[in-house]
Amino acid sequence: MDVKSVVLRHRFNVPATPEAAVSHLMRPSSYVELNGFVVDVREEGGAAVYTAIERLPLFKWHFHSALKVRVRSEGEGTRFVMEVDSRGGVRVRVETEFTAAPEGAVADDTITLTAPALVRAYASKQARVGQLHRGQALAARLR
């Protein structure tokens, strides 16, 4: 099986301190609608481990997929790390580093997606859509 990684980067601003942004992201309930695909979360191992239900488009239909999500805060509360396992051998690692700025914080968001060749292009496209939406949604929520 041909499994390779794709790296996606995005920089955006949020009108909140780095610590407030990471605190928001650490709550499982904040993940609903944050990337545009997650419609529900089920806490399992406390706030750090949960299942997210993703609704993804496929042609003119949608399908639901359960994602195993693990999150943690690093760097004195200024760095957010999320690891996601989904169907089809797709693994996603999201690392968001927040740096204080006059208007709040600058977020440097990096997604590393590892997937088999058969689903890599589709998974990468959806990850990029989710990444861009997450930046906009997080900025709007933290106003």
Side-chain angles (χ1 to χ4, degrees):
M1 183 177 339
D2 180 26
V3 178
K4 293 183 181 173
S5 295
V6 174
V7 176
L8 307 166
R9 290 185 170 80
H10 180 53
R11 176 176 274 186
F12 57 94
N13 297 313
V14 293
T17 66
E19 296 81 9
V22 171
S23 177
H24 179 77
L25 291 171
M26 287 298 296
R27 291 190 299 275
S29 61
S30 73
Y31 198 44
V32 174
E33 299 292 327
L34 187 61
N35 75 352
F37 300 118
V38 174
V39 295
D40 190 21
V41 295
R42 300 178 193 140
E43 290 189 43
E44 294 177 4
V49 179
Y50 58 94
T51 298
I53 306 302
E54 185 174 54
R55 184 175 189 256
L56 291 170
L58 185 61
F59 304 110
K60 61 182 179 178
W61 299 281
H62 288 86
F63 69 95
H64 289 84
S65 179
L67 309 173
K68 277 288 189 221
V69 180
R70 292 169 308 287
V71 297
R72 68 180 177 278
S73 171
E74 297 178 349
E76 313 242 346
T78 60
R79 180 178 166 88
F80 174 74
V81 178
M82 172 188 290
E83 295 171 324
V84 180
D85 296 331
S86 73
R87 292 182 186 181
V90 177
R91 306 280 183 260
V92 179
R93 179 180 173 91
V94 178
E95 299 175 62
T96 311
E97 182 76 37
F98 292 92
T99 305
E103 66 282 355
V106 174
D108 286 302
D109 190 69
T110 303
I111 292 177
T112 304
L113 179 137
T114 305
L118 185 62
V119 296
R120 189 177 314 122
Y122 176 77
S124 295
K125 179 182 174 190
Q126 297 309 314
R128 182 61 173 171
V129 167
Q131 182 180 44
L132 296 176
H133 187 275
R134 185 173 59 255
Q136 293 173 340
L138 187 59
R141 286 182 184 186
L142 296 176
R143 279 196 171 96

